[in-house]
Amino acid sequence: MSQMHSCTATAAALLAGPELPPIAFDNSFARELEGLYVPWQPAPVPDPRLLWFNDALAAELGLDAAALCGARGAALFGGNAVPAGAAPLAQAYAGHQFGGFSPQLGDGRALLLGEVIDRHGQRRDVAFKGSGRTPFARGGDGKAALGPVLREALLGEAMHVLGVPTTRALAVVATGEPVRRERALPGAVLTRVAASHLRVGSLEFFAARGQIQELTRLAEYALARHDPELAGRADRWLAWLHAVTGRQARLVAQWMNLGFIHGVMNTDNMTLSGETIDYGPCAFLEAYDPATVFSSIDHGGRYGFGNQPRIARWNLARLAEALLPLLVQEGPEAGTDRATAAAIERAQAVLEGFDAMFEAAHRAGQRAKLGLSGAQAQDGELADDWLDLLLQQQVDFTLAWRRLADAALGNTGPLRALFAAPVALEAWLARWHTRCAAEPTTAAARAAAMRRASPWLIPRNHRVEEALAAAVDRDDLAPFLRLLSALQQPFDERPTDADLAEPAAPELTAHYRTFCGT
Ligand code: AMP
Ligand code: MG
């Protein structure tokens, strides 16, 4: 991970000529899915400045980080100089937003630049966000403001380090152009890297139009890209629905065990790859409460913390509906009157499996956080009762788990200090100690394992806001860089970063609101 000043583009490199350093693009989407997208160019920006470049991710992608810094990086990642081999395009997608269907969303302000094969042999999308209007822009200006762009970079890196599948930021360029929101804000372009940008809504787009040929091409592409082992199987669509369902169940289980609230789980913001995407109104829990909602537009609390598993399953039902024309063709009843009914039944059985997959992943994560290596029947109840205690006493979710690791070593003081009425904790702690006694591990090993399962540092909402405000209002990136750097080691307690780990004052959190990153 690096900052601007670690960029080492030399004067010689800059003088070498106007050619941009090569990025070994291999654009399968553009090549294989012609007709399903709109080729489009990024809008030039007046004064691009490379504010941040992700050296570590660049290395993973096999890019020449040194040569992509400075003025060249600014020109490239600002959209002024499209690199050789790129085939910029806008993707079409639809989506269920807050439960209602929007038949046409699409990349209104984003462009897929192309794909690269990373050091691990994985195909990764390199895309812009905020690179100007496209034919999908509807009323939007096609731009992005610096605050939301930095937010997405910060949150994506934090989630990545925490082990959560996620899209990541490669570069942030300030455009030198104001964007009009409630007030004029500095504009920026985000370069985003993803396993792909294919969403549940990508398939919904063609399914809703009855374009079955296009739907099939896109689904075959997505399956081959994310689940190549299923390609060619006679029952591949059902198996694929199962695979995507499992990824989402595991992803949301990770969110739940970290206290992450996505905030806008529309089907256009749910990937087929299983990566977290679109860090708009997301936020982390402070005091544990499943009813927590931070998003200013989520009036009904549809995307509140505790609803996330249910919403993921609902979204997957929309995926199943989009895939129905394909599911109908592959069953033993294909071609008969019963084909549709049978396909729906099979899809429903897969969707019903979501709960068990989620539960298994969620409980496994909780056991790790409780310091349990084995599984016993009553572990779920132990975890539920712990969460009930946190809820009753409005205890900070992150710190509570962390202080429980201290308690594993007999140091219960810091944990008790988080509770207004710690006496309520006694009975539960006794049960937990009894349960731990049935484990083969030592207390020291248990505490160490617990500290690897529960971060000390998360992107605290008020610290994120402070960092973004400094960048936006004072052109001061130092707080952003400090927070980003601290978040690289979320599991190690460091006195020097203690201010970043503390929760906000409860009044602040009670009034905290997040906004979609437009
Ligand atoms: P999001 O809320 O970022 O998930 O975006 C939802 C839809 O709105 C997508 O189709 C975006 O491309 C589009 N959109 C959001 N902001 C803008 C903007 N400023 N200009 C054009 N399209 C936008
Ligand atoms: Mg989106």
Side-chain angles (χ1 to χ4, degrees):
M1 186 62 42
S2 85
Q3 302 134 31
M4 253 290 280
H5 53 74
S6 76
C7 275
T8 48
T10 59
L14 289 172
L15 290 170
E19 278 156 57
L20 290 160
I23 298 177
F25 283 110
D26 176 44
N27 303 328
S28 66
F29 191 93
R31 201 164 55 227
E32 295 171 30
L33 295 174
E34 217 173 308
L36 304 198
Y37 57 80
V38 182
W40 204 256
Q41 293 295 314
V45 302
D47 184 18
R49 254 191 319 145
L50 185 62
L51 292 188
W52 178 70
F53 185 71
N54 191 338
D55 278 347
L57 180 57
E60 202 176 304
L61 297 177
L63 307 182
D64 181 356
L68 289 169
C69 281
R72 289 178 159 198
L76 197 162
F77 297 114
N80 284 3
V82 175
L89 61 90
Q91 291 185 332
Y93 56 85
H96 278 84
Q97 301 183 303
F98 290 93
F101 186 59
S102 302
Q104 184 172 310
L105 295 167
D107 286 335
R109 55 164 171 172
L111 289 176
L112 173 62
L113 210 54
E115 302 142 35
V116 296
I117 309 296
D118 74 13
R119 290 265 157 93
H120 313 290
Q122 297 298 312
R123 181 176 293 278
R124 312 273 288 269
D125 276 6
V126 180
F128 286 155
K129 188 167 175 178
S131 50
R133 303 186 79 239
T134 77
F136 299 106
R138 294 168 292 156
D141 61 2
K143 306 290 179 176
L146 178 60
V149 164
L150 290 176
R151 189 181 164 80
E152 175 150 351
L154 189 70
L155 269 290
E157 289 310 285
M159 293 287 268
H160 171 70
V161 174
L162 290 168
V164 183
T166 179
T167 65
R168 295 177 67 188
L170 178 64
V172 173
V173 167
T175 58
E177 180 181 59
V179 297
R180 292 201 164 277
R181 296 297 179 254
E182 272 169 11
R183 58 184 172 119
L185 293 167
V189 176
L190 174 77
T191 303
R192 179 161 79 181
V193 173
S196 85
H197 282 80
L198 297 169
R199 309 139 195 270
V200 169
S202 310
L203 295 170
E204 285 182 287
F205 180 90
F206 295 106
R209 283 169 170 70
Q211 291 181 275
I212 305 306
Q213 217 186 353
E214 288 80 359
L215 171 72
T216 308
R217 283 173 64 202
L218 186 62
E220 292 280 13
Y221 173 87
L223 180 145
R225 182 156 169 183
H226 296 299
D227 299 276
E229 68 285 358
L230 301 180
R233 249 172 74 164
D235 63 345
R236 65 189 176 285
W237 299 118
L238 196 69
W240 194 50
L241 181 62
H242 184 267
V244 179
T245 299
R247 283 199 283 271
Q248 286 297 336
R250 290 187 292 277
L251 178 68
V252 176
Q254 283 189 289
W255 293 356
M256 300 306 285
N257 280 328
L258 286 168
F260 175 78
I261 310 172
H262 183 282
V264 62
M265 289 176 69
N266 296 331
T267 57
D268 51 303
N269 292 335
M270 186 188 255
T271 59
L272 300 173
S273 69
E275 285 185 342
T276 310
I277 196 169
D278 272 9
Y279 292 92
C282 68
F284 277 80
L285 275 184
E286 297 238 303
Y288 174 72
D289 184 348
T292 306
V293 175
F294 290 116
S295 168
S296 58
I297 57 167
D298 191 1
H299 305 297
R302 178 183 172 91
Y303 299 141
F305 180 71
N307 279 347
Q308 297 185 116
R310 201 169 326 157
I311 291 294
R313 183 175 158 171
W314 190 91
N315 288 349
L316 291 160
R318 308 290 77 76
L319 173 64
E321 282 168 6
L323 288 176
L324 195 60
L326 307 179
L327 289 163
V328 166
Q329 291 165 21
E330 74 178 8
E333 305 86 351
T336 73
D337 288 352
R338 275 230 356 111
T340 302
I344 291 172
E345 279 164 26
R346 281 196 301 275
Q348 263 165 356
V350 169
L351 294 172
E352 271 157 30
F354 175 90
D355 293 358
M357 289 192 269
F358 170 76
E359 168 106 354
H362 188 223
R363 292 302 193 198
Q366 285 180 326
R367 278 200 305 277
K369 292 167 87 76
L370 287 168
L372 307 176
S373 54
Q376 287 191 7
Q378 72 277 29
D379 292 347
E381 209 179 303
L382 191 66
D384 290 345
D385 291 348
W386 160 255
L387 292 178
D388 274 347
L389 280 171
L390 302 190
L391 173 62
Q392 281 156 25
Q393 301 207 26
Q394 298 170 42
V395 180
D396 185 81
F397 182 77
T398 304
L399 289 185
W401 283 112
R402 206 50 205 193
R403 297 300 167 232
L404 190 60
D406 300 330
L409 294 167
N411 179 15
T412 56
L415 178 62
R416 281 169 213 273
L418 297 176
F419 286 72
V423 53
L425 194 58
E426 299 307 328
W428 186 88
L429 274 179
R431 277 166 65 201
W432 178 59
H433 281 304
T434 307
R435 172 65 185 85
C436 289
E439 288 274 306
T441 30
T442 64
R446 177 173 314 115
M450 289 171 75
R451 288 182 183 131
R452 286 192 300 271
S454 291
W456 172 67
L457 189 64
I458 53 161
R460 292 273 174 189
N461 304 321
H462 63 301
R463 296 302 181 205
V464 173
E465 296 301 335
E466 279 171 14
L468 303 192
V472 172
D473 299 334
R474 304 195 298 279
D475 200 16
D476 176 10
L477 272 186
F480 167 82
L481 295 173
R482 179 189 168 213
L483 185 54
L484 188 64
S485 153
L487 286 164
Q488 294 303 303
Q489 273 146 4
F491 298 104
D492 306 331
E493 281 182 48
R494 294 172 305 275
T496 47
D497 287 329
D499 57 318
L500 301 178
E502 284 301 311
E507 319 76 85
L508 203 82
T509 301
H511 296 111
Y512 184 60
R513 292 289 169 272
T514 57
F515 302 90
C516 277
T518 56

